[in-house]
Amino acid sequence: MTYNIGHRAVYSLNIHLVLVTKYRRKVINQVMLNRLQEIFEGTCAKWRSEVTEYNAESDHVHLVISYPPDVEISKLVNNLKTVSSRLIRKEFNEHVNQFYSKPVFWTGAYFVASCGGVTLEQLKSYVEKQSSPDC
């Protein structure tokens, strides 16, 4: 396992993020898929974060993002959604307008889960095995 070193912290924080298109419309094609990856990677870099895994289907994307401890996940996710939606609608206007009459792309909700590192069972075992100070 590799750790990141910050100003006052050593960390390894990762999330699994899933974004779904509005009404689960199958709007994402291969060209958009590649452009979305560029947008996500560029946006994450501005947040001192990194897309470590990326995959998608025609109606949703999966990202694994490594981020520093001072980044608020909800703000990062909302920025990723806003920037990608705006740029995709601008660059693929004719294609997206076949699916949506309003300026939308992603659904309002998203899925996020912490991931990587040790399992919960490994962590519990580690904590249980720690010695207590003598009182």
Side-chain angles (χ1 to χ4, degrees), residues 7-114:
H7 181 62
R8 294 184 177 182
V10 177
Y11 59 93
S12 176
L13 299 171
N14 297 284
I15 56 168
H16 173 207
L17 174 65
V18 180
L19 302 178
V20 179
T21 58
K22 189 79 168 177
Y23 311 119
R24 280 203 89 118
R25 301 260 166 88
K26 298 185 181 302
V27 64
I28 302 172
N29 60 30
Q30 188 61 46
V31 178
M32 291 172 69
L33 178 78
N34 296 335
R35 181 62 180 127
L36 280 167
Q37 183 173 7
E38 293 172 0
I39 293 168
F40 292 139
E41 288 173 352
T43 304
C44 280
K46 292 176 184 174
W47 285 79
R48 300 176 337 277
S49 302
E50 179 184 7
V51 176
T52 57
E53 294 289 329
Y54 173 76
N55 203 341
E57 292 185 25
S58 59
D59 62 352
H60 68 280
V61 296
H62 291 266
L63 300 111
V64 175
I65 300 172
S66 174
Y67 65 98
D70 60 333
V71 167
E72 293 180 50
I73 295 170
S74 62
K75 289 184 178 179
L76 170 62
V77 171
N78 286 330
N79 192 246
L80 287 168
K81 289 173 64 176
T82 300
V83 170
S84 62
S85 177
R86 181 176 39 83
L87 291 175
I88 289 297
R89 286 193 332 253
K90 180 181 175 184
E91 296 173 19
F92 299 92
N93 189 32
E94 288 183 25
H95 178 71
V96 174
N97 284 343
Q98 294 174 15
F99 296 87
Y100 304 114
S101 58
K102 296 183 179 180
V104 297
F105 191 76
W106 302 115
T107 188
Y110 58 87
F111 169 83
V112 65
S114 59

